[in-house]
Amino acid sequence: MSLTAQASDFKGWADENAARLNAQTFEKLDKQRWTDFVNRPVSYVTREPDLPRLAWHWLFEEHPHAIEGVWLTAPDAYPSIPNPIVPTLHAFLSPKEKELNLARLNDLEGHYAAYRPSFVNTADVMVMAMQCGIDGDISRFAITMKFVSEDGEDSTEHVEGFALPYQGSVLFQGRLIETAAPFIFILSRFPVDNKTGKTSWSEGTLLVGADGTMSSAYPITIRRAAKEVTPQTYDVESFKKAIPAHKTILKLLKRGVVGWRDED
């Protein structure tokens, strides 16, 4: 917009919204006055404190694209989320929610065992080591998994990504480091332990799209751990012996895997 159009648009908006924001309106606001205002140095102290305050609200309510990108990636926007990805995804996926659900991310922070069917043999159970909150960023997560590949070799893969709360769920937007394949899952239900004040478990669906294969979806559930988990893949009988909560976890994993099969 030209400065003339900006001045006109802002003047009309201010006339309609000044009372709501407990501010004074402006009898005259032409191109020159607006130009002088927007070109003043940041340290300038105006005699009209309502002008910058109303301009701030006008930009956020009428032209958020012009300011949100800069504001949300500023160092003091979300000090506990020092990355541009989560604020950007939040603005895209939850435009009606003004603030990120930081409480949900704080509750999630810590170590977990994440359970899913193995992608090598879906009858086996993969126990992945998961950490939420890394290097002072409560939105970052990491996962480590170990398994025996189809070639019979011991293999380890790692996931890195970001957790984004939205509505009543959390989107975990990640990628496999070794293959750069998407690794995305959504968790819902986050009961909080009364003793620790932290999320104790959650469950949802995992989507993986590795290179050279069709994408697949798996049930997934996480359980909080007191310390870092050792990743491992079990057959069902070994899993029952090793994991006390095996009944609840196996029941959830029986929801099934969504995959592809040959036409034959």
Side-chain angles (χ1 to χ4, degrees):
M1 297 174 66
S2 66
L3 288 172
T4 301
Q6 289 180 32
S8 176
D9 189 53
F10 172 58
K11 177 66 165 60
W13 181 90
D15 289 342
E16 294 180 4
N17 294 277
R20 172 173 65 89
L21 297 170
N22 193 27
Q24 295 181 351
T25 55
F26 314 102
E27 293 183 5
K28 183 181 179 182
L29 186 67
D30 56 17
K31 173 187 175 182
Q32 189 58 51
R33 185 178 177 190
W34 179 251
T35 301
D36 290 342
F37 168 67
V38 299
N39 288 328
R40 284 168 178 164
V42 176
S43 59
Y44 178 83
V45 178
T46 179
R47 295 179 181 178
E48 301 174 300
D50 286 341
L51 179 57
R53 187 164 66 89
L54 284 176
W56 176 266
H57 285 284
W58 168 66
L59 282 168
F60 267 100
E61 294 183 15
E62 299 297 310
H63 306 284
H65 63 281
I67 196 170
E68 276 188 346
V70 175
W71 178 68
L72 290 174
T73 56
D76 58 348
Y78 295 108
S80 56
I81 304 181
N83 71 80
I85 296 177
V86 171
T88 301
L89 285 174
H90 171 75
F92 175 68
L93 294 175
S94 305
K96 295 183 179 180
E97 296 179 13
K98 296 298 182 182
E99 298 291 337
L100 271 163
N101 189 345
L102 298 182
R104 174 62 48 75
L105 292 177
N106 278 312
D107 291 346
L108 274 169
E109 191 173 15
H111 292 280
Y112 294 86
Y115 304 92
R116 56 167 285 196
S118 168
F119 60 86
V120 179
N121 179 5
T122 55
D124 294 339
V125 180
M126 182 176 287
V127 182
M128 305 183 295
M130 178 177 174
Q131 181 181 356
C132 293
I134 299 173
D135 295 336
D137 186 343
I138 61 172
S139 68
R140 284 181 59 195
F141 78 93
I143 287 176
T144 301
M145 64 189 84
K146 291 187 177 181
F147 56 94
V148 177
S149 69
E150 294 178 344
D151 298 329
E153 297 182 357
D154 292 333
S155 301
T156 302
E157 289 189 345
H158 303 84
V159 177
E160 63 177 8
F162 299 90
L164 173 68
Y166 74 98
Q167 301 175 16
S169 302
V170 175
L171 167 66
F172 290 82
Q173 174 66 61
R175 63 170 183 169
L176 285 161
I177 296 176
E178 287 78 8
T179 63
F183 191 98
I184 303 166
F185 57 103
I186 293 175
L187 296 180
S188 302
R189 297 201 290 177
F190 301 90
V192 173
D193 185 276
N194 293 329
K195 294 182 179 180
T196 64
K198 296 288 189 176
T199 298
S200 55
W201 61 273
S202 189
E203 61 186 29
T205 304
L206 162 69
L207 174 67
V208 179
D211 185 33
T213 63
M214 300 297 289
S215 57
S216 302
Y218 304 81
I220 183 173
T221 183
I222 65 173
R223 297 291 190 276
R224 180 174 290 277
K227 58 183 179 180
E228 188 172 352
V229 174
T230 300
Q232 191 170 342
T233 298
Y234 297 89
D235 59 53
V236 173
E237 292 306 315
S238 298
F239 182 75
K240 290 179 179 179
K241 295 177 182 178
I243 307 299
H246 61 84
K247 289 184 179 180
T248 303
I249 296 170
L250 289 174
K251 181 179 180 181
L252 183 141
L253 298 186
K254 285 181 180 178
R255 290 177 179 174
V257 175
V258 179
W260 299 86
R261 62 173 180 264
D262 295 333
E263 293 182 359
D264 294 340

